[in-house]
Amino acid sequence: MAVILKYIVAGLVRYWLIHTDYWQTLSNRVEIATPLNSWKRLIEGIYLYEHKINPYEGDSFHESPLLLIFFYGVLKYTPYLLPAIFTFMDILTAYFLYKTASIFVKVFKNSQRKISENIATDSKTLLLSDSQLKEVPEYVLSVYLFNPYSVLNCVGMTTTVVQNLLLAVSLWGSVSGHRLLACAFIALATHQALYPVTLIVPLSILLADESKGCNKCSYIRTLLVFVVCWGFLVYISAYIMDGSYSYVYNTYGFILNVPDLKPNIGLFWYFFTEMFEHFRLLFVCAFQINALILYIVPLTLRFKDEPVLLATVLIALSSIFRSYPCIGDVGFYLALLPIWKHLFNFMQQKFIVGCAFIITSALGPTVWHLWIYSGSANANFFFGVTLSFATAQIFLITDLMFAYLKREFTLKHGSSRLVDGKPAKLVLR
């Protein structure tokens, strides 16, 4: 009953805020809307399409043709349902995250039972009880439903709401062992925003763990299904655009090349504003390699036994380093953190990161107003806040990974610390 009440309250809050006078302001905020997910730009693209003009010929519309057709149909036949549709999609995202956490808890309980004999005696207290594990899905649900980042993202009616739903369904499909469902939805998310392509690695590991056959065969099947689904979506999108693949440059090309340097909460816009043009290609490649490729292999090698943690970290890193991030991306991966509640005792940066999140979230709009409206600040002030926000997120993710390693070491070797047979002491001189 309490879970249902959370859905109702969160849904009503979102639905009410969309109908307030603040909706227009929120939908244009740089923290919420980007050139990729802006509702205003989507409306413009739909208007052009409705009047038989290719929306990808200009530089204002960068969504996938599938979303273009979907919202074109909604606006044409049931425009009054738009607030309800966005609210429903966000609540559905929370539901699938809840189901994902519930399945993960069962898997974690079984794995904990298997390794219980190899755990050091003084580390037995670190094992989680059934009551502690039972709380995890509800924490995940609550964090997503009532996180201000997620709420504002939905109220701003950004297409990140759709992307979050696709990611949530793909995670649920992978932990449930539904290969086609997981691959189809991660292909949809990739088709919309490109960066979710990195998740095919943890999803392949999860699906291989669920299958009872050869792991290598499972990896190959997952990759093939994903490639076929993605290729089919590219073909369908070209069919929608009268057989033209020109949309690819204004979707994938726009994400990779970063031509629009409107400020956002990311790191790209300031660097490329200040950079000499003849260095641009070098740094575009460096930044995109950092966002798409750099961390996959080392993190997979270290966390291959915890694919859900690997997925969480990769989602977080892509949210930090993608070319056009927004707070909706941040709100999604924050909702996954309660799955790792048992690691919180091993994390050392919780207070610092929490304060940084609060301070930067308050300073961002303030400095933006001083820069754009009052003229008493400049771009350096706003970038300083966004850089601090990104740093706080990096501290959070690295702290989470180190906490996992610390807990793993403690379970195996015990919690006592001896040097030459005596208790270790830290002495400051």
Side-chain angles (χ1 to χ4, degrees):
M1 188 64 186
V3 172
I4 296 174
L5 185 62
K6 289 178 183 177
Y7 285 124
I8 295 172
V9 172
L12 289 175
V13 168
R14 284 163 167 78
Y15 191 78
W16 172 69
L17 285 173
I18 291 175
H19 284 87
T20 61
D21 296 336
Y22 298 107
W23 171 81
Q24 193 71 29
T25 302
L26 291 174
S27 65
N28 291 321
R29 291 294 311 177
V30 293
E31 300 89 351
I32 299 171
T34 70
L36 278 178
N37 69 0
S38 169
W39 175 251
K40 184 178 180 181
R41 292 192 180 223
L42 180 59
I43 290 290
E44 185 173 345
I46 292 171
Y47 178 84
L48 293 173
Y49 181 77
E50 189 175 16
H51 288 79
K52 310 300 180 184
I53 302 172
N54 186 349
Y56 297 103
E57 288 182 353
D59 192 38
S60 61
F61 183 70
H62 309 287
E63 275 293 353
S64 73
L66 296 176
L67 274 182
L68 173 67
I69 287 297
F70 173 75
F71 283 107
Y72 168 72
V74 171
L75 284 173
K76 185 174 182 179
Y77 298 107
T78 55
Y80 53 88
L81 288 180
L82 271 172
I85 289 172
F86 274 94
T87 301
F88 177 73
M89 285 193 293
D90 218 34
I91 298 302
L92 201 59
T93 301
Y95 170 77
F96 280 110
L97 288 177
Y98 175 80
K99 298 298 288 185
T100 300
S102 299
I103 296 171
F104 173 79
V105 163
K106 295 177 183 177
V107 174
F108 185 84
K109 190 186 298 184
N110 292 332
S111 64
Q112 186 174 253
R113 190 181 301 115
K114 290 177 183 177
I115 65 170
S116 58
E117 296 179 358
N118 300 322
I119 292 176
T121 305
D122 60 346
S123 296
K124 296 285 185 181
T125 55
L126 294 177
L127 297 178
L128 302 182
S129 64
D130 290 347
S131 60
Q132 290 174 312
L133 290 171
K134 190 178 179 181
E135 297 172 346
V136 170
E138 293 192 18
Y139 285 138
V140 171
L141 180 68
S142 300
V143 170
Y144 188 83
L145 288 177
F146 301 107
N147 186 336
Y149 296 153
S150 301
V151 174
L152 293 176
N153 179 60
C154 179
V155 174
M157 292 173 62
T158 69
T159 55
T160 303
V161 173
V162 180
Q163 184 191 332
N164 288 347
L165 175 59
L166 298 175
L167 291 176
V169 177
S170 65
L171 287 174
W172 174 77
S174 59
V175 297
S176 304
H178 302 303
R179 178 177 282 106
L180 181 59
L181 185 71
C183 291
F185 276 86
I186 202 64
L188 281 166
T190 301
H191 187 57
Q192 180 188 355
L194 188 60
Y195 293 100
V197 69
T198 59
L199 293 182
I200 194 61
V201 176
L203 264 58
S204 298
I205 299 173
L206 281 166
L207 291 166
D209 292 343
E210 289 295 321
S211 66
K212 298 180 180 179
C214 170
N215 279 355
K216 290 183 179 178
C217 295
S218 178
Y219 296 146
I220 294 171
R221 283 198 299 270
T222 301
L223 184 60
L224 284 176
V225 174
F226 168 73
V227 171
V228 169
C229 290
W230 192 7
F232 178 73
L233 293 172
V234 172
Y235 172 77
I236 288 295
S237 297
Y239 178 79
I240 292 170
M241 302 312 298
D242 298 324
S244 172
Y245 287 89
S246 61
Y247 76 91
V248 173
Y249 179 77
N250 251 343
T251 53
Y252 300 151
F254 182 81
I255 293 169
L256 291 173
N257 197 39
V258 204
D260 192 325
L261 299 179
K262 180 181 178 181
N264 53 56
I265 63 170
L267 304 175
F268 278 68
W269 67 273
Y270 187 83
F271 281 100
F272 289 100
T273 300
E274 300 292 327
M275 187 177 300
F276 292 112
E277 191 62 27
H278 54 277
F279 290 124
R280 197 177 200 283
L281 180 60
L282 170 66
F283 280 94
V284 163
C285 292
F287 273 57
Q288 296 295 2
I289 288 171
N290 179 67
L292 279 167
I293 302 171
L294 188 63
Y295 305 103
I296 295 177
V297 173
L299 290 176
T300 301
L301 291 175
R302 184 58 190 87
F303 298 108
K304 60 182 181 296
D305 296 327
E306 284 291 354
V308 177
L309 178 62
L310 177 61
T312 303
V313 171
L314 289 177
I315 291 171
L317 290 175
S318 72
S319 299
I320 299 168
F321 296 120
R322 65 175 58 196
S323 49
Y324 297 101
C326 70
I327 59 172
D329 302 314
V330 180
F332 182 83
Y333 81 76
L334 287 180
L336 295 171
L337 295 185
I339 292 177
W340 308 102
K341 188 170 70 74
H342 55 282
L343 301 180
F344 289 176
N345 290 334
F346 292 89
M347 294 175 68
Q348 297 181 331
Q349 316 280 356
K350 298 191 296 289
F351 179 75
I352 295 173
V353 169
C355 291
F357 266 81
I358 294 171
I359 292 169
T360 53
S361 297
L363 274 181
T366 304
V367 173
W368 177 263
H369 180 83
L370 293 175
W371 174 25
I372 301 299
Y373 298 103
S374 298
S376 55
N378 56 41
N380 297 323
F381 288 70
F382 186 73
F383 179 69
V385 174
T386 60
L387 184 61
S388 300
F389 186 60
T391 304
Q393 295 179 75
I394 293 168
F395 270 49
L396 174 63
I397 298 306
T398 53
D399 201 17
L400 180 69
M401 290 189 287
F402 278 117
Y404 172 81
L405 299 178
K406 290 174 191 174
R407 185 177 185 274
E408 192 180 53
F409 180 86
T410 304
L411 286 174
K412 186 176 180 179
H413 299 284
S415 56
S416 61
R417 300 288 179 267
L418 301 176
V419 176
D420 298 329
K422 298 179 181 179
K425 289 196 292 185
L426 181 64
V427 180
L428 299 178
R429 294 183 178 178

